[in-house]
Amino acid sequence: MSLRTRISCCLSLFALLGMMACRQAKERPSEALQSSKPSQPSPKAAPADVSTPLPADRPSGPIRFVDVTQAAGIHFRHNSGAYGKKYLPETMGSGVCVIDYDGDGWQDILFVNSMDWPEHKTSVSTPALYHNNHDGTFTDVTSTSGLAKEMYGLGCAVGDFDNDGRDDIYITALGGNYLFRSLGAGRFVDVTTKAHVKDPGFSTGAVWFDYDNDGKLDLFVSHYVDWSEVTDQFCTLDGKNKLKTPSGVLSTAEAISVLANSMALAGNFGSGEVTADDLAAGLQGSVVKDEDKDRTTWQEYLTNVLKKRGAEWRPLFNACSEHNE
């Protein structure tokens, strides 16, 4: 091949390479634009079945519970103080709170207790705090907890009212309630007077809640009726024994006490013998408006019931009318 021919071939090759380089440079911006476009999502695959299969030995049928009270070491007994007078509070029972009082992550139990009446003292009874032993058993730690205070307790509510990270206890009781602040390490101290939450009367239930959203727990306390040993109603046929309603469930005096203070409760005593129909016959006003406690409510109520319930209520009517005149 001559020198001229070689030089011509080389020039042609350089020209071809240059044209290819220019073409690639022109194509790069479009490639960049193409790469900058968001990629289209690929169609989603159907979700896999991740549900956990039930164990083969899962029991079927009704759930059964077994009484393990004794085996768990819980020996609490409620003392209503009853000794024959049949006072109204004796029918109320008492409350219980589940609380992790020592912060160990295991739930402990607080039993509210009542007490003997002052005129018939036979023993001392207090609330009972049981510590969870983490093995299905409990230990009574009341004596070292600061909660061994005698009262006629009825209910309880748990809440951290001072925001220190420890649950505190409020106990409702006849004649005045109690607030116990947790000190930690399983100890409580009575701060009722300092906190101004004694709330005398016949308190029953209570609940902690932040009603004004200020980050601090507030306290709502509910009351039952206006009652005392002196004002307890006593209806009798023989002058000795308190008369029972025909249903045999709640004494007449107790039913009347309920009526005197709360119309809402009047339809819920005995075994349904007194219903909302009894109150619908014009009795509501006398129950609500008997501000001077002149006892006309009792007779109006009993007369109304007698008309509907028949002769079995007549002795009850006569006994209460004569005794409460």
Side-chain angles (χ1 to χ4, degrees):
M1 181 180 293
S2 64
L3 179 60
R4 182 179 292 178
T5 302
R6 290 178 181 175
I7 294 173
S8 177
C9 288
C10 288
L11 292 175
S12 298
L13 181 59
F14 288 147
L16 180 60
L17 291 174
M19 291 175 63
M20 292 178 65
C22 291
R23 184 175 180 181
Q24 289 178 0
K26 290 179 181 179
E27 290 178 350
R28 284 193 186 103
S30 63
E31 292 174 359
L33 289 173
Q34 185 69 23
S35 64
S36 66
K37 293 181 180 179
S39 59
Q40 296 297 325
S42 57
K44 289 184 178 179
D49 184 7
V50 294
S51 59
T52 304
L54 296 176
D57 59 347
R58 181 183 176 89
S60 60
I63 298 174
R64 297 180 61 84
F65 291 89
V66 178
D67 184 354
V68 296
T69 309
Q70 295 300 317
I74 296 176
H75 307 293
F76 170 79
R77 292 184 65 86
H78 174 248
N79 174 26
S80 69
Y83 69 101
K85 290 289 188 178
K86 299 181 181 178
Y87 289 140
L88 173 62
E90 297 169 4
T91 68
M92 301 297 290
S94 62
V96 61
C97 278
V98 177
I99 171 179
D100 180 12
Y101 80 98
D102 54 356
D104 64 356
W106 293 75
Q107 296 298 313
D108 312 294
I109 307 176
L110 171 68
F111 293 96
V112 178
N113 209 348
S114 302
M115 58 181 284
D116 289 342
W117 297 107
E119 69 274 15
H120 191 262
K121 292 291 293 182
T122 61
S123 62
V124 175
S125 54
T126 69
L129 180 63
Y130 279 81
H131 174 260
N132 191 323
N133 298 327
H134 311 175
D135 59 1
T137 66
F138 293 81
T139 300
D140 188 341
V141 295
T142 310
S143 61
T144 59
S145 68
L147 299 174
K149 192 174 188 67
E150 191 172 32
M151 66 185 78
Y152 204 97
L154 292 163
C156 59
V158 172
D160 181 11
F161 81 93
D162 53 0
N163 289 338
D164 64 355
R166 297 187 291 264
D167 283 335
D168 310 297
I169 299 171
Y170 188 75
I171 299 180
T172 58
L174 184 66
N177 308 327
Y178 295 86
L179 175 60
F180 295 95
R181 177 177 177 267
S182 175
L183 301 176
R187 293 281 301 171
F188 292 85
V189 61
D190 184 352
V191 295
T192 309
T193 302
K194 181 179 179 181
H196 306 289
V197 289
K198 186 70 173 177
D199 194 27
F202 196 161
S203 298
T204 51
V207 61
W208 294 99
F209 73 115
D210 184 7
Y211 88 97
D212 53 0
N213 293 321
D214 65 354
K216 300 176 182 178
L217 287 180
D218 309 296
L219 182 63
F220 176 83
V221 181
S222 60
H223 284 241
Y224 191 35
V225 297
D226 183 11
W227 181 91
S228 70
E229 295 174 68
V230 175
T231 60
D232 184 72
Q233 300 296 317
F234 190 91
C235 301
T236 179
L237 290 175
D238 58 11
K240 298 178 181 180
N241 300 308
K242 183 177 285 189
L243 188 66
K244 286 285 184 179
T245 60
S247 65
V249 176
L250 188 66
S251 71
T252 304
E254 292 161 353
I256 291 176
S257 182
V258 171
L259 279 171
N261 293 276
S262 178
M263 184 178 64
L265 295 175
N268 192 26
F269 77 87
S271 296
E273 294 295 335
V274 176
T275 66
D277 292 335
D278 294 319
L279 296 178
L283 185 63
Q284 294 95 326
S286 61
V287 173
V288 175
K289 297 178 181 179
D290 188 23
E291 298 176 354
D292 56 355
K293 306 292 183 182
D294 62 3
R295 302 183 186 275
T296 56
T297 298
W298 315 151
Q299 295 192 24
E300 290 175 2
Y301 168 71
L302 291 169
T303 300
N304 185 283
V305 170
L306 183 63
K307 290 178 181 178
K308 290 195 174 189
R309 301 306 178 193
E312 64 175 345
W313 286 81
R314 189 171 297 280
L316 177 153
F317 169 74
N318 294 334
C320 289
S321 298
E322 293 171 3
H323 186 80
N324 292 316
E325 287 179 351

